[in-house]
Amino acid sequence: MLLIREIMYCKPGKVKPMVEKFVAMNKLAEKVGMPKMLQKSGQGKLRVMTDFVGERYWTAIMEFEVKDLKAFDDMMAGTGMSEADNREFENVMKGYHDLVEYGKREIYKIEEVPAAVGAAR
């Protein structure tokens, strides 16, 4: 299982519009049945976060899990979605470059922690 983080370093005052785009994208994914499609590939629930403290202000993060890189690649390619659905996703994210200075993607492998280790905390 992989954890994907899409990290957007927004321009001053542009975090809220970026978060709104992330939330709209998630609603559209639910509308077009994407969660069902992605459950087959191990997609976890989407989370949207903003910075509370950190080395840089105005950060918006979208985080989700996928079974493997193939599932992520299929999701990014819009596999299983109609052309109309793909266009809607493009419309939701239209203009996001105006909101961000730069961004990055982090991909982590989720390690299984034995129950005894987790219980000790």
Side-chain angles (χ1 to χ4, degrees):
M1 188 69 76
L2 301 174
L3 175 74
I4 312 288
R5 283 190 182 145
E6 305 286 356
I7 302 170
M8 302 295 174
Y9 298 104
C10 299
K11 294 176 182 176
K14 300 300 181 183
V15 170
K16 186 174 182 180
M18 190 72 234
V19 166
E20 289 168 352
K21 285 191 176 292
F22 285 161
V23 170
M25 192 167 60
N26 189 48
K27 286 180 183 175
L28 180 57
E30 290 175 8
K31 177 185 154 205
V32 300
M34 198 177 233
K36 286 183 183 175
M37 178 184 79
L38 295 173
Q39 283 173 356
K40 294 176 189 170
S41 63
Q43 171 82 26
K45 183 161 178 60
L46 176 101
R47 293 193 316 173
V48 176
M49 301 171 283
T50 57
D51 62 285
F52 191 68
V53 296
E55 64 184 60
R56 192 180 186 295
Y57 294 116
W58 308 302
T59 303
I61 302 168
M62 180 173 60
E63 175 182 278
F64 53 93
E65 297 174 10
V66 292
K67 179 181 173 186
D68 53 30
L69 285 175
K70 168 99 172 79
F72 178 65
D73 190 44
D74 288 346
M75 181 188 74
M76 294 301 286
T79 301
M81 291 193 322
S82 70
E83 283 186 40
D85 292 339
N86 276 322
R87 279 193 299 276
E88 268 193 88
F89 273 101
E90 288 173 8
N91 285 335
V92 164
M93 291 306 289
K94 186 176 182 178
Y96 88 93
H97 289 116
D98 297 332
L99 305 175
V100 299
E101 289 183 358
Y102 63 96
K104 67 179 183 176
R105 175 178 294 135
E106 297 175 347
I107 301 178
Y108 298 94
K109 180 181 177 201
I110 299 173
E111 301 291 344
E112 296 299 321
V113 178
V117 174
R121 291 183 179 194

